[in-house]
Amino acid sequence: MDKDHVSRRFSLESRRYIGCKTKLVDWIFDLIDQHTHDARTFCDIFSGTGVVAKRALSKYEHVVVNDFLHSNNVMYRAFFSPEIWNEKKVQGIIDNFNAINAKKIGENYFSKNFGGKYFYHDTAKVIGYIRGKLQRIKHELTDKEYAILLASLIYSVDRHANTMGHFDAFHHKAPLAHQFEMRMVDVGSYEGVDIHQEDANLLARNIHVDVLYLDPPYNSRQYSRFYHVYENLVQWKKPKLYGTALKPKEENMSDYCRTTALAAFTDLVSHVDARYLVVSYNNTYHSKSSSSENKIKLEQLEEVLSKCGETKVFNHEFKAFNSGKTEFDDHREYLFITEVDNERRNRSFATVLRG
């Protein structure tokens, strides 16, 4: 394998994604190490980019990874799954894709909708052509090979998008002309991983782990809407698109981005079988943007967790990835670590548990 190909692969952490914990993962696990004991199993139930899950896979015997976005699930299968794949075969397919001449291929769903907006038009043509080709050769690929190629396409698309890092809007200035290049992701393989794409509250009723890590979205920004282009690419259903942001009809909408967030969180922690609850939280409810205003307040979160057991709270100054014009003053990341007392929790949430 060409050393240049290997050295230029995308790391899991290199994707632009709101709420990504890349810069906080050391701090998070230092605290988990200090305040949990004899833990062998871990669940990252709102996995997002998967950076927390990746660190957990290097520390625990068994790790459950979950997110209900199709595009995120593809990432976990590419970066974590222990299933077989042929490196030379996958790189050969990517090399062939990089030899495509945009002038010699026709228009497609992707270029007709996104060309000249989210992407330079010829780039959109190539992206759409590649996605269509992947659909046609899917039967020739293992699940991991297919996931690697889709993940590689998404990471490459992220480098070419005419956006601030999400797809709620594109820059008014036309995208610059350039040659699209697809690069492979830096594939991993872990025997102790269990990958899910489920509603977190439903999954919580069916898992048994030592440490449950929760990082729900909290504010009104629905991730399925922010990353609709990736969801569209992965599913490839070619839906009708609406509005200036070119979004399909709503799907995979989270209760944690609505006024139901506190009830959803309470339901999850009251039903899950875990020895420790570790919860990430940031104080964007002080922001000047209503869409960034938290649906659960810090005090509410602490109250719920304290009903589950002894709870410790830690905080860390942090400049978050900001994809727009929202301003945050004194942005801090909080970490709650609760040692679950089942008797206390069951007594506190008797009504919820009966429901």
Side-chain angles (χ1 to χ4, degrees), residues 26 205 257 261 280 295 307:
D26 288 338
R205 287 159 161 76
C257 300
S280 280
K295 301 303 178 187
K307 290 178 179 178

Side-chain angles (χ1 to χ4, degrees), residues 152-187:
S152 299
L153 180 60
I154 289 172
Y155 269 75
S156 301
V157 163
D158 188 48
R159 290 296 190 274
H160 292 270
N162 183 37
T163 71
M164 291 293 293
H166 61 77
F167 295 93
D168 209 37
F170 47 84
H171 294 306
H172 295 301
K173 197 171 183 180
L176 298 174
H178 56 264
Q179 178 70 34
F180 179 75
E181 180 191 21
M182 185 170 167
R183 288 158 48 192
M184 197 192 298
V185 292
D186 189 13
V187 180

Side-chain angles (χ1 to χ4, degrees), residues 209-261:
V209 292
D210 293 320
V211 180
L212 177 71
Y213 175 75
L214 303 101
D215 184 26
Y218 294 117
N219 60 48
S220 64
R221 300 183 181 208
Q222 293 277 355
Y223 280 66
S224 62
R225 308 303 279 163
F226 259 33
Y227 299 102
H228 63 93
V229 171
Y230 297 151
E231 292 293 277
N232 196 341
L233 265 178
V234 170
Q235 294 184 84
W236 206 235
K237 294 178 180 177
K238 303 180 185 178
K240 184 177 179 180
L241 305 176
Y242 302 88
T244 55
L246 299 166
K247 296 179 181 180
K249 289 183 177 179
E250 293 181 351
E251 68 171 4
N252 274 4
M253 303 293 279
S254 174
D255 286 339
Y256 290 84
C257 300
R258 297 172 167 143
T259 55
T260 53

